[in-house]
PDB file of all heavy atoms in Angstrom:
ATOM      1  N   VAL W  23     137.101 283.442 114.191  1.00  0.00           N
ATOM      2  CA  VAL W  23     137.485 283.052 112.843  1.00  0.00           C
ATOM      3  C   VAL W  23     137.006 284.190 111.938  1.00  0.00           C
ATOM      4  O   VAL W  23     137.540 285.279 112.021  1.00  0.00           O
ATOM      5  CB  VAL W  23     136.959 281.654 112.449  1.00  0.00           C
ATOM      6  CG1 VAL W  23     137.479 281.242 111.082  1.00  0.00           C
ATOM      7  CG2 VAL W  23     137.346 280.609 113.486  1.00  0.00           C
ATOM      8  N   SER W  24     135.981 283.996 111.133  1.00  0.00           N
ATOM      9  CA  SER W  24     135.488 285.081 110.278  1.00  0.00           C
ATOM     10  C   SER W  24     134.048 285.449 110.602  1.00  0.00           C
ATOM     11  O   SER W  24     133.416 286.195 109.867  1.00  0.00           O
ATOM     12  CB  SER W  24     135.598 284.671 108.809  1.00  0.00           C
ATOM     13  OG  SER W  24     134.789 283.543 108.561  1.00  0.00           O
ATOM     14  N   GLU W  25     133.511 284.935 111.700  1.00  0.00           N
ATOM     15  CA  GLU W  25     132.119 285.189 112.062  1.00  0.00           C
ATOM     16  C   GLU W  25     132.018 286.184 113.208  1.00  0.00           C
ATOM     17  O   GLU W  25     132.824 286.168 114.137  1.00  0.00           O
ATOM     18  CB  GLU W  25     131.424 283.882 112.448  1.00  0.00           C
ATOM     19  CG  GLU W  25     131.356 282.882 111.322  1.00  0.00           C
ATOM     20  CD  GLU W  25     130.549 283.374 110.120  1.00  0.00           C
ATOM     21  OE1 GLU W  25     129.596 284.150 110.299  1.00  0.00           O
ATOM     22  OE2 GLU W  25     130.875 282.963 109.001  1.00  0.00           O
ATOM     23  N   PHE W  26     130.989 287.032 113.150  1.00  0.00           N
ATOM     24  CA  PHE W  26     130.778 288.114 114.108  1.00  0.00           C
ATOM     25  C   PHE W  26     129.749 287.718 115.160  1.00  0.00           C
ATOM     26  O   PHE W  26     128.717 287.121 114.840  1.00  0.00           O
ATOM     27  CB  PHE W  26     130.281 289.349 113.346  1.00  0.00           C
ATOM     28  CG  PHE W  26     129.976 290.533 114.206  1.00  0.00           C
ATOM     29  CD1 PHE W  26     130.999 291.294 114.749  1.00  0.00           C
ATOM     30  CD2 PHE W  26     128.673 290.900 114.448  1.00  0.00           C
ATOM     31  CE1 PHE W  26     130.723 292.405 115.531  1.00  0.00           C
ATOM     32  CE2 PHE W  26     128.379 292.011 115.233  1.00  0.00           C
ATOM     33  CZ  PHE W  26     129.405 292.766 115.772  1.00  0.00           C
ATOM     34  N   ILE W  27     130.029 288.052 116.421  1.00  0.00           N
ATOM     35  CA  ILE W  27     129.088 287.884 117.526  1.00  0.00           C
ATOM     36  C   ILE W  27     128.980 289.240 118.212  1.00  0.00           C
ATOM     37  O   ILE W  27     129.985 289.807 118.647  1.00  0.00           O
ATOM     38  CB  ILE W  27     129.556 286.821 118.534  1.00  0.00           C
ATOM     39  CG1 ILE W  27     129.681 285.462 117.837  1.00  0.00           C
ATOM     40  CG2 ILE W  27     128.588 286.737 119.714  1.00  0.00           C
ATOM     41  CD1 ILE W  27     130.280 284.377 118.704  1.00  0.00           C
ATOM     42  N   CYS W  28     127.762 289.778 118.280  1.00  0.00           N
ATOM     43  CA  CYS W  28     127.571 291.106 118.877  1.00  0.00           C
ATOM     44  C   CYS W  28     127.825 291.056 120.391  1.00  0.00           C
ATOM     45  O   CYS W  28     127.781 289.994 121.016  1.00  0.00           O
ATOM     46  CB  CYS W  28     126.179 291.645 118.563  1.00  0.00           C
ATOM     47  SG  CYS W  28     124.801 290.848 119.429  1.00  0.00           S
ATOM     48  N   ASP W  29     128.088 292.235 120.946  1.00  0.00           N
ATOM     49  CA  ASP W  29     128.370 292.341 122.383  1.00  0.00           C
ATOM     50  C   ASP W  29     127.239 291.783 123.238  1.00  0.00           C
ATOM     51  O   ASP W  29     127.479 291.119 124.245  1.00  0.00           O
ATOM     52  CB  ASP W  29     128.616 293.798 122.768  1.00  0.00           C
ATOM     53  CG  ASP W  29     129.989 294.298 122.377  1.00  0.00           C
ATOM     54  OD1 ASP W  29     130.857 293.471 122.019  1.00  0.00           O
ATOM     55  OD2 ASP W  29     130.210 295.530 122.441  1.00  0.00           O
ATOM     56  N   ALA W  30     125.988 292.045 122.841  1.00  0.00           N
ATOM     57  CA  ALA W  30     124.844 291.590 123.635  1.00  0.00           C
ATOM     58  C   ALA W  30     124.774 290.060 123.678  1.00  0.00           C
ATOM     59  O   ALA W  30     124.563 289.474 124.745  1.00  0.00           O
ATOM     60  CB  ALA W  30     123.545 292.163 123.071  1.00  0.00           C
ATOM     61  N   CYS W  31     124.978 289.418 122.539  1.00  0.00           N
ATOM     62  CA  CYS W  31     124.937 287.951 122.500  1.00  0.00           C
ATOM     63  C   CYS W  31     126.125 287.348 123.238  1.00  0.00           C
ATOM     64  O   CYS W  31     125.974 286.353 123.952  1.00  0.00           O
ATOM     65  CB  CYS W  31     124.894 287.449 121.063  1.00  0.00           C
ATOM     66  SG  CYS W  31     123.291 287.735 120.260  1.00  0.00           S
ATOM     67  N   GLU W  32     127.285 287.962 123.079  1.00  0.00           N
ATOM     68  CA  GLU W  32     128.461 287.463 123.808  1.00  0.00           C
ATOM     69  C   GLU W  32     128.211 287.507 125.306  1.00  0.00           C
ATOM     70  O   GLU W  32     128.467 286.535 126.022  1.00  0.00           O
ATOM     71  CB  GLU W  32     129.695 288.295 123.457  1.00  0.00           C
ATOM     72  CG  GLU W  32     130.920 287.851 124.218  1.00  0.00           C
ATOM     73  CD  GLU W  32     132.075 288.830 124.167  1.00  0.00           C
ATOM     74  OE1 GLU W  32     131.908 289.935 123.630  1.00  0.00           O
ATOM     75  OE2 GLU W  32     133.136 288.477 124.696  1.00  0.00           O
ATOM     76  N   ALA W  33     127.677 288.625 125.794  1.00  0.00           N
ATOM     77  CA  ALA W  33     127.404 288.770 127.225  1.00  0.00           C
ATOM     78  C   ALA W  33     126.378 287.742 127.690  1.00  0.00           C
ATOM     79  O   ALA W  33     126.534 287.144 128.759  1.00  0.00           O
ATOM     80  CB  ALA W  33     126.910 290.186 127.516  1.00  0.00           C
ATOM     81  N   GLU W  34     125.337 287.513 126.886  1.00  0.00           N
ATOM     82  CA  GLU W  34     124.318 286.534 127.275  1.00  0.00           C
ATOM     83  C   GLU W  34     124.892 285.118 127.289  1.00  0.00           C
ATOM     84  O   GLU W  34     124.588 284.326 128.187  1.00  0.00           O
ATOM     85  CB  GLU W  34     123.126 286.614 126.323  1.00  0.00           C
ATOM     86  CG  GLU W  34     121.977 285.754 126.771  1.00  0.00           C
ATOM     87  CD  GLU W  34     120.741 285.895 125.906  1.00  0.00           C
ATOM     88  OE1 GLU W  34     120.757 286.681 124.935  1.00  0.00           O
ATOM     89  OE2 GLU W  34     119.757 285.194 126.202  1.00  0.00           O
ATOM     90  N   MET W  35     125.743 284.801 126.324  1.00  0.00           N
ATOM     91  CA  MET W  35     126.349 283.461 126.301  1.00  0.00           C
ATOM     92  C   MET W  35     127.208 283.222 127.537  1.00  0.00           C
ATOM     93  O   MET W  35     127.173 282.140 128.119  1.00  0.00           O
ATOM     94  CB  MET W  35     127.200 283.276 125.042  1.00  0.00           C
ATOM     95  CG  MET W  35     126.386 283.092 123.800  1.00  0.00           C
ATOM     96  SD  MET W  35     127.350 282.579 122.374  1.00  0.00           S
ATOM     97  CE  MET W  35     128.446 283.950 122.155  1.00  0.00           C
ATOM     98  N   VAL W  36     127.953 284.227 127.935  1.00  0.00           N
ATOM     99  CA  VAL W  36     128.840 284.100 129.096  1.00  0.00           C
ATOM    100  C   VAL W  36     128.024 283.870 130.372  1.00  0.00           C
ATOM    101  O   VAL W  36     128.426 283.102 131.238  1.00  0.00           O
ATOM    102  CB  VAL W  36     129.736 285.346 129.218  1.00  0.00           C
ATOM    103  CG1 VAL W  36     130.480 285.358 130.533  1.00  0.00           C
ATOM    104  CG2 VAL W  36     130.708 285.408 128.058  1.00  0.00           C
ATOM    105  N   ARG W  37     126.854 284.500 130.473  1.00  0.00           N
ATOM    106  CA  ARG W  37     126.013 284.382 131.666  1.00  0.00           C
ATOM    107  C   ARG W  37     125.145 283.125 131.674  1.00  0.00           C
ATOM    108  O   ARG W  37     124.608 282.748 132.716  1.00  0.00           O
ATOM    109  CB  ARG W  37     125.082 285.598 131.773  1.00  0.00           C
ATOM    110  CG  ARG W  37     125.742 286.885 132.126  1.00  0.00           C
ATOM    111  CD  ARG W  37     124.709 287.970 132.420  1.00  0.00           C
ATOM    112  NE  ARG W  37     123.667 288.064 131.413  1.00  0.00           N
ATOM    113  CZ  ARG W  37     123.642 288.900 130.384  1.00  0.00           C
ATOM    114  NH1 ARG W  37     124.627 289.740 130.214  1.00  0.00           N
ATOM    115  NH2 ARG W  37     122.637 288.917 129.537  1.00  0.00           N
ATOM    116  N   THR W  38     124.965 282.471 130.534  1.00  0.00           N
ATOM    117  CA  THR W  38     124.046 281.342 130.431  1.00  0.00           C
ATOM    118  C   THR W  38     124.654 280.086 131.049  1.00  0.00           C
ATOM    119  O   THR W  38     125.753 279.675 130.714  1.00  0.00           O
ATOM    120  CB  THR W  38     123.681 281.078 128.958  1.00  0.00           C
ATOM    121  OG1 THR W  38     123.070 282.251 128.422  1.00  0.00           O
ATOM    122  CG2 THR W  38     122.725 279.908 128.828  1.00  0.00           C
ATOM    123  N   ASP W  39     123.902 279.487 131.946  1.00  0.00           N
ATOM    124  CA  ASP W  39     124.313 278.250 132.601  1.00  0.00           C
ATOM    125  C   ASP W  39     124.140 277.076 131.640  1.00  0.00           C
ATOM    126  O   ASP W  39     123.229 277.074 130.798  1.00  0.00           O
ATOM    127  CB  ASP W  39     123.445 278.032 133.851  1.00  0.00           C
ATOM    128  CG  ASP W  39     123.959 276.893 134.692  1.00  0.00           C
ATOM    129  OD1 ASP W  39     124.851 277.126 135.522  1.00  0.00           O
ATOM    130  OD2 ASP W  39     123.467 275.761 134.502  1.00  0.00           O
TER     131      ASP W  39
END
Side-chain angles (χ1 to χ4, degrees):
V23 185
S24 62
E25 297 298 329
F26 178 75
I27 299 174
C28 72
D29 283 347
C31 288
E32 178 194 6
E34 187 176 0
M35 286 190 298
V36 170
R37 289 189 312 264
T38 301
D39 189 85

